[in-house]
Amino acid sequence: VSDSMPKAFDEPTDNDKELTAFVIDHTDKWREYRDQNYLDSWLKYERVWRGVWEAEDKQRQSERSRVISPATQQAIETRHAEIMEAIFGNGEYFDIKDDVNDQTGGIDVQHMKECLTEDFAQDKVRKAIDSITLMGEIYGTGIAEITVGSEKQYKPMQVPIDQKQMAYGVGEKDRICVKLHPVNPKNFLFDPNGMSIDDCMGVAIEKYISIHKIAQGIASGKYRNVDIDTMYESDDIEPTKETKNFEDDKVKLLTYYGLVPKEYLSTEQFAEIEGTESVTDDYSDMVEAIIVIANGTLLLKAEESPYMMKDRPVISYQADTVPNRLLGRGTAEKASNMQSSVDGSMRSHMDSLALTTAPMVAIDATRWPRGAKFEVKPGKAVLTNGVPSEIVFPFKFGSTDGQSMETSKEFERMLLMATGTIDSNGTVSAVARDGQSMDMATATMIKKYKRVLINFQEDFLMPFIYKAAWRYMQFDPERYPSSDVKFIPT
């Protein structure tokens, strides 16, 4: 085919169709399990954190006030700030321990540490971790995807032309980058039978992506040349809830990392023999693979894991431990009951104020001038067909009791107790001002934060640094020579 003629689209083979059906069938079941058990709660936690009111958040049918207490917002932001300070407050957040049998004197280890620190700063790993830990506090689980790419790096250069002249310009070079992408739990699918990322048969990330990125991937050979079009089903997998989401020029992309039957990745066709199939046939010979499917039907990519360690490029940690479950428990979940109580008390008080502060009157409609509009204004003259005191009668529903607001303060204290957070004013009022009592009051809080940090270090930070180092060793061996090193948190 000449360059002037369009290239024919790739037609899926029978194996491609079987593979697509295998992945879609499993991820649909996983999505249904996740939505039935977690989605409604996640949407509620997000609304509370952002201060967005919805009709379904009413505490009673007659409730009119829409105020939302910032207690949960404060608890989330306090814990998030403390965790970020604990991770990055010391400057260096990881160190490398050399192999005991290494005789190089630690030079290669120090060089690797400096290179990793430089590349992590350039790829904005700290900013990504900030978003991941924040979502961990809101939804209970911090999730990230590790991607490897090559990007052009430009820098000013000067080149001597001769002994008296110098040429100034811009030089470029390709750079291997390993990036950490935060994943909202609403975009994350996992095998419910697994208790960790590696324990699952597979995990998947689904999201809407601009069609121009798909076109670029097809042009570069990253994706197969398929006849793709835009598609927007619903806003269920949008990372944030908006009044109206943008729906144009989007493609629904599902990226699956996990085990698939090896025969589905083969170019050979396998004939099925009737009467010999069993349930375990598909699961007897499986390989780690990366599968990318667009719009639920188009197979863009299917290959065995290209990483030398055959590890999955997805990591997660529990903000608070829930044993034998992949998803954890976040600050918003801990504060949920008390947040509802605080909101109910405050809204009850606000509704009462609306009845006791706004002037209300009863009017004899038979003695009121026809077509006259009643208004309460300073200095306004009111015309009546008779004695005004007999026609217009002001009345009140009594006075608002301040007990509801006092009760809400007690609920806020319980919320801070449930989340293990407390503001500076609460600390001063709760304990004496001497240092010893302050230390005793904060000791329990510090212990709770240590539990979160252990989860973060063991399940997220160290696996990420290992995976990043392995990818640099594989794709950028000149800068990162392969070596057996151990990483430790600082």
Side-chain angles (χ1 to χ4, degrees):
V1 181
S2 65
D3 294 338
S4 60
M5 297 179 61
K7 183 180 178 182
F9 294 117
D10 296 336
E11 293 295 330
T13 63
D14 290 341
N15 283 348
D16 292 341
K17 295 177 182 178
E18 291 281 351
L19 178 61
T20 304
F22 177 87
V23 173
I24 294 298
D25 180 59
H26 283 82
T27 53
D28 284 348
K29 295 177 182 177
W30 301 347
R31 186 186 302 104
E32 181 181 1
Y33 165 84
R34 183 204 63 189
D35 291 350
Q36 290 178 347
N37 289 278
Y38 303 104
L39 185 59
D40 290 341
S41 296
W42 287 344
L43 294 175
K44 179 181 178 181
Y45 300 155
E46 181 184 343
R47 290 195 301 270
V48 170
W49 170 63
R50 296 179 64 188
V52 177
W53 181 88
E54 289 285 349
E56 58 193 271
D57 296 331
K58 281 187 174 183
Q59 304 295 323
R60 63 183 190 280
Q61 191 63 31
S62 60
E63 187 175 86
R64 299 175 66 246
S65 174
R66 299 184 178 185
V67 65
I68 298 176
S69 168
T72 296
Q73 300 176 33
Q74 173 188 299
I76 290 173
E77 290 165 5
T78 298
R79 286 184 62 89
H80 178 233
E82 292 289 350
I83 292 170
M84 289 298 294
E85 177 65 20
I87 298 170
F88 298 106
N90 193 35
E92 295 182 352
Y93 53 95
F94 72 95
D95 201 354
I96 301 180
K97 183 178 180 180
D98 203 355
D99 192 343
V100 294
N101 296 322
D102 190 7
Q103 304 296 324
T104 60
I107 299 176
D108 56 341
V109 168
Q110 184 63 27
H111 174 72
M112 179 180 291
K113 178 182 176 181
E114 293 174 355
C115 291
L116 282 175
T117 302
E118 179 182 334
D119 287 331
F120 286 168
Q122 194 163 352
D123 292 326
K124 300 181 180 179
V125 168
R126 176 170 180 167
K127 183 177 181 180
I129 291 178
D130 180 89
S131 298
I132 293 162
T133 53
L134 177 58
M135 286 194 291
E137 294 303 316
I138 297 172
Y139 303 106
T141 312
I143 308 166
E145 179 185 17
I146 304 172
T147 62
V148 184
S150 176
E151 61 181 22
K152 289 190 178 296
Q153 190 175 25
Y154 299 93
K155 59 181 180 180
M157 292 184 64
Q158 55 182 12
V159 179
I161 299 177
D162 51 37
Q163 294 181 352
K164 296 182 179 181
Q165 291 182 317
M166 187 77 68
Y168 295 89
V170 177
E172 66 175 53
K173 68 174 182 178
D174 290 330
R175 171 182 170 269
I176 298 297
C177 57
V178 177
K179 295 188 176 182
L180 194 64
H181 297 276
V183 177
N184 192 298
K186 293 183 292 184
N187 300 108
F188 182 65
L189 303 174
F190 61 96
D191 178 11
N193 294 321
M195 292 180 287
S196 65
I197 296 291
D198 294 331
D199 190 39
C200 294
M201 186 187 80
V203 297
I205 299 170
E206 58 177 354
K207 57 187 176 182
Y208 288 114
I209 189 171
S210 177
I211 192 171
H212 83 273
K213 296 183 179 179
I214 304 296
Q216 290 175 353
I218 293 175
S220 65
K222 176 182 177 182
Y223 297 138
R224 297 182 182 183
N225 183 29
V226 298
D227 185 12
I228 194 167
D229 197 2
T230 58
M231 186 189 76
Y232 193 92
E233 288 183 336
S234 67
D235 59 359
D236 291 340
I237 61 174
E238 292 287 1
T240 56
K241 187 73 173 178
E242 303 292 349
T243 304
K244 177 64 176 177
N245 286 295
F246 189 73
E247 301 180 3
D248 298 337
D249 299 330
K250 288 189 174 182
V251 173
K252 185 178 180 182
L253 196 71
L254 177 73
T255 307
Y256 174 87
Y257 301 104
L259 299 173
V260 298
K262 186 175 183 180
E263 64 183 45
Y264 292 162
L265 297 176
S266 174
T267 56
E268 300 178 4
Q269 300 296 318
F270 294 87
E272 295 185 0
I273 303 176
E274 295 184 2
T276 61
E277 301 92 344
S278 72
V279 176
T280 60
D281 283 348
D282 282 344
Y283 306 97
S284 58
D285 186 14
M286 306 185 78
V287 294
E288 190 72 24
I290 298 176
I291 312 297
V292 182
I293 300 173
N295 296 339
T297 57
L298 299 174
L299 186 64
L300 292 179
K301 182 178 181 180
E303 65 177 8
E304 287 194 39
S305 176
Y307 305 118
M308 64 180 185
M309 304 300 287
K310 300 300 179 184
D311 58 303
R312 290 177 183 170
V314 181
I315 48 179
S316 72
Y317 80 100
Q318 294 182 336
D320 194 17
T321 303
V322 178
N324 299 325
R325 197 179 79 179
L326 189 148
L327 301 179
R329 188 169 69 118
T331 300
E333 182 177 347
K334 298 176 187 177
S336 181
N337 287 334
M338 287 299 104
Q339 177 71 34
S340 298
S341 301
V342 174
D343 289 344
S345 298
M346 294 180 65
R347 291 171 186 173
S348 175
H349 181 78
M350 299 294 288
D351 288 346
S352 177
L353 283 177
L355 296 174
T356 58
T357 58
M360 289 172 284
V361 295
I363 301 175
D364 184 354
T366 62
R367 302 167 69 182
W368 188 256
R370 180 174 299 178
K373 180 180 179 181
F374 180 79
E375 292 179 331
V376 179
K377 290 183 179 180
K380 180 178 176 59
V382 180
L383 303 178
T384 60
N385 297 325
V387 181
S389 60
E390 297 178 356
I391 301 171
V392 180
F393 177 74
F395 65 94
K396 296 181 63 176
F397 283 111
S399 59
T400 298
D401 188 2
Q403 188 63 36
S404 294
M405 289 301 293
E406 293 298 325
T407 303
S408 68
K409 293 180 181 179
E410 182 65 18
F411 285 143
E412 286 182 3
R413 186 189 66 83
M414 294 182 185
L415 186 146
L416 297 177
M417 184 190 307
T419 57
T421 58
I422 192 167
D423 60 359
S424 57
N425 294 329
T427 304
V428 173
S429 61
V431 300
R433 294 180 180 271
D434 61 281
Q436 183 177 359
S437 299
M438 186 71 73
D439 291 342
M440 294 176 61
T442 56
T444 303
M445 295 167 55
I446 294 174
K447 292 177 182 177
K448 291 181 179 179
Y449 284 115
K450 285 184 177 179
R451 294 174 59 241
V452 180
L453 288 175
I454 290 175
N455 283 351
F456 180 81
Q457 291 174 2
E458 297 291 332
D459 296 336
F460 192 92
L461 183 60
M462 292 301 101
F464 164 67
I465 298 177
Y466 273 112
K467 291 174 187 289
W470 293 336
R471 280 147 181 74
Y472 280 125
M473 291 176 189
Q474 180 177 359
F475 298 105
D476 194 4
E478 293 183 3
R479 182 174 169 87
Y480 291 89
S482 296
S483 59
D484 183 17
V485 294
K486 305 297 180 183
F487 298 97
I488 57 175
T490 300

